[in-house]
Amino acid sequence: MKAHINCFIPFHSFSQVKETIASLRASALIDKIYLLTDNGCTDSVDGCEVINIDSLRSTATIKKISSKADTSYTLIYTKSADLRLGMFALDRMFQIAKDSGAGLIYADHYQVVGDEKKNAPVIAYQKGSLRDDFNFGSVLLYKTDLLKKAVADMDKEYKFAGIYDLRLKVSQHADLVHINEYLYSEIENNTDKSGGSHFDYVDPKNRDMQIEMEQACTDHLKKVGAYLAPQFKKIEFNQADFEYEASVIIPVRNRIRTVADAIKSVLSQKTNFKFNLIVVDNYSTDGTTEAIDKFASDERLVHVIPENKELGIGGCWNSGVHHPKCGKFAVQLDSDDVYSGEDTLQKIVDAFYEQNCAMVVGTYMLTDFDMNEIPPGIIDHKEWTPDNGRNNALRINGLGAPRAFYTPVLREIKVPNTSYGEDYALGLNFSREYQIGRIYDVLYLCRRWDDNSDASLDIVKANAHNTYKDRIRTWELEARIALNKTK
């Protein structure tokens, strides 16, 4: 196999690729450049070979790339934006690829739109980095013999999941290595159509794509020994005596504008069982404490101010769950959200018994502050299936809301003391051995406004969140591999 690098880049027209080709050819490491066209472009580019493809994501395209790959490394560029490589950027990637033995090298970069240049750092890949939308940036440098090995192992033809399947299969044989140096720029040229919404994975229009991604991920889990067959522990709901059948738990800090709405939506619930509301007030300073106290005449309200002053949302949940007045089922409500109707709590408790599950997840609707529906509207997570949901949960970024738990199991597992990802960590842990029940009626109105934790994040915080969720997945992946070894 020849030394150096062959390149494969998207091709829509000569004007779209000319700057990228010039940047690539400035490096002595480049051997051949192949142009991947999905629109039948007939423009000619001297010294480049055109390859007709259906899409950059398909298995068929990955196989065509493999058939042309005859250098030691293969570069796949995934955007139509102009690529401008930094000084000796490919030399740096090539050297680290050789030194580390990596199967894939990727790097931090810049994004340029007009006169604005933004940093675009990415994060390190972990065993649990199974999201199909993991951001590698647009320059992917594969070790060719491992790329070919991965392609040889491909036994399914994917329309959408081919490039995802490729990196999963490569990761089975070598590390995917992040260079935390800014090595290139993506320069907007009005032809790039990449990107997407945080909620793309639950958009019904993308269902065919999600089915493929789930299949590729499930096959990967089987290969690495982390797949869990659909066999679940049966729940006995009489493990302990509880004064209350259910407790709604609201952790809160400084939500003077919304906490009363949340409390009212709980106290208005109509049920055939006894329930209460545990509000864990995490040392609010804006009048929230006094707003909670206005409901003190209702004996169902338990106002808790924890002794520990270093609690995140998860720690507040632990305070509520371990309170002596916590009911048999602990049900989530965020301090800036409300239940959609008076029957929400009844539906949740009924689901525990009907589906014999240790955790229930409902459906919510996104709204503005005034509770008017906003896009994408209803989030139902219908990608979940009883048989494979807990495996696919390692690929997706959330399980839905509201969430409710069988208290004896939750007290044993406990909630991570964080303010992001704690609910997802619980879902993965619970699903390791127990069935998770689903309700596809809208139970919950989830407000989006400037002051809540789901407001827009800068890239640094978004990367920190994604790194933590990937750690959660990694720990869960390792736990499932260990569990399977005991069977």
Side-chain angles (χ1 to χ4, degrees), residues 328-348:
K328 182 186 294 185
F329 302 109
V331 185
Q332 171 240 348
L333 181 62
D334 289 347
S335 58
D336 44 12
D337 300 329
V338 299
Y339 291 144
S340 60
E342 297 176 340
D343 58 351
T344 290
L345 196 54
Q346 184 70 55
K347 287 181 177 179
I348 290 172

Side-chain angles (χ1 to χ4, degrees), residues 45-101:
V45 181
D46 288 344
C48 297
E49 180 179 338
V50 176
I51 302 175
N52 287 290
I53 62 171
D54 50 1
S55 84
L56 188 60
R57 296 179 172 186
S58 73
T59 302
T61 295
I62 300 304
K63 288 181 175 179
K64 286 183 178 181
I65 290 173
S66 177
S67 70
K68 297 289 187 178
D70 59 1
T71 48
S72 54
Y73 287 89
T74 299
L75 187 152
I76 301 176
Y77 183 53
T78 62
K79 286 194 173 182
S80 300
D82 292 339
L83 171 64
R84 183 171 65 208
L85 293 167
M87 181 180 291
F88 299 122
L90 287 183
D91 299 76
R92 181 65 168 158
M93 296 181 80
F94 185 67
Q95 186 63 51
I96 292 176
K98 290 193 299 179
D99 290 346
S100 66

Side-chain angles (χ1 to χ4, degrees), residues 183-411:
L183 296 184
Y184 62 93
S185 298
E186 302 165 351
I187 304 171
E188 178 62 50
N189 59 21
N190 297 319
T191 64
D192 184 47
K193 297 180 175 62
S194 60
S197 163
H198 171 70
F199 292 101
D200 278 353
Y201 70 104
V202 291
D203 188 333
K205 298 190 296 294
N206 295 329
R207 184 66 184 127
D208 289 345
M209 178 176 70
Q210 293 306 317
I211 289 171
E212 285 195 4
M213 299 296 184
E214 178 177 354
Q215 188 171 21
C217 182
T218 301
D219 287 347
H220 172 73
L221 294 177
K222 290 177 178 178
K223 188 73 173 180
V224 300
Y227 170 80
L228 297 179
Q231 299 165 349
F232 305 95
K233 279 187 177 180
K234 183 176 175 60
I235 294 288
E236 300 293 341
F237 290 113
N238 57 357
Q239 289 184 24
D241 293 327
F242 289 89
E243 180 182 357
Y244 296 92
E245 181 74 355
S247 292
V248 176
I249 297 179
I250 301 179
V252 61
R253 176 175 168 81
N254 292 346
R255 286 291 185 267
I256 184 61
R257 295 177 62 189
T258 59
V259 69
D261 291 339
I263 291 172
K264 289 174 185 176
S265 80
V266 175
L267 298 180
S268 67
Q269 294 298 300
K270 298 187 183 306
T271 66
N272 59 15
F273 51 79
K274 190 177 180 181
F275 73 90
N276 65 5
L277 166 62
I278 301 176
V279 181
V280 184
D281 180 8
N282 198 12
Y283 293 90
S284 295
T285 59
D286 67 344
T288 293
T289 301
E290 292 75 18
I292 297 167
D293 285 338
K294 289 180 180 179
F295 296 88
S297 61
D298 193 317
E299 64 180 12
R300 294 173 297 174
L301 177 67
V302 181
H303 186 179
V304 176
I305 299 179
E307 291 183 13
N308 191 316
K309 295 185 177 181
E310 285 78 42
L311 298 183
I313 292 173
C316 290
W317 255 88
N318 285 328
S319 292
V321 169
H322 290 268
H323 192 281
K325 286 191 174 293
C326 185
K328 182 186 294 185
F329 302 109
V331 185
Q332 171 240 348
L333 181 62
D334 289 347
S335 58
D336 44 12
D337 300 329
V338 299
Y339 291 144
S340 60
E342 297 176 340
D343 58 351
T344 290
L345 196 54
Q346 184 70 55
K347 287 181 177 179
I348 290 172
V349 170
D350 288 346
F352 277 103
Y353 292 105
E354 291 167 359
Q355 301 182 48
N356 192 254
C357 49
M359 177 177 174
V360 169
V361 181
T363 295
Y364 65 94
M365 182 170 71
L366 288 171
T367 75
D368 59 18
F369 183 82
D370 297 318
M371 291 182 272
N372 300 304
E373 183 176 355
I374 59 174
I378 295 173
I379 307 297
D380 55 24
H381 286 271
K382 284 188 176 178
E383 78 281 352
W384 182 276
T385 62
D387 284 354
N388 202 51
R390 60 180 175 174
N391 294 305
N392 194 42
L394 287 165
R395 179 185 67 87
I396 60 178
N397 223 16
L399 301 183
R403 297 165 291 275
F405 309 91
Y406 181 42
T407 298
V409 177
L410 184 54
R411 284 176 171 172

Side-chain angles (χ1 to χ4, degrees), residues 74-141:
T74 299
L75 187 152
I76 301 176
Y77 183 53
T78 62
K79 286 194 173 182
S80 300
D82 292 339
L83 171 64
R84 183 171 65 208
L85 293 167
M87 181 180 291
F88 299 122
L90 287 183
D91 299 76
R92 181 65 168 158
M93 296 181 80
F94 185 67
Q95 186 63 51
I96 292 176
K98 290 193 299 179
D99 290 346
S100 66
L104 168 66
I105 291 284
Y106 62 102
D108 297 344
H109 52 284
Y110 301 106
Q111 293 175 331
V112 181
V113 180
D115 295 329
E116 185 177 13
K117 179 180 179 180
K118 292 182 178 179
N119 290 359
V122 291
I123 63 176
Y125 195 86
Q126 305 173 48
K127 286 183 182 178
S129 299
L130 300 179
R131 291 177 292 120
D132 54 84
D133 62 351
F134 184 93
N135 183 14
F136 291 95
S138 56
V139 176
L140 311 177
L141 186 65

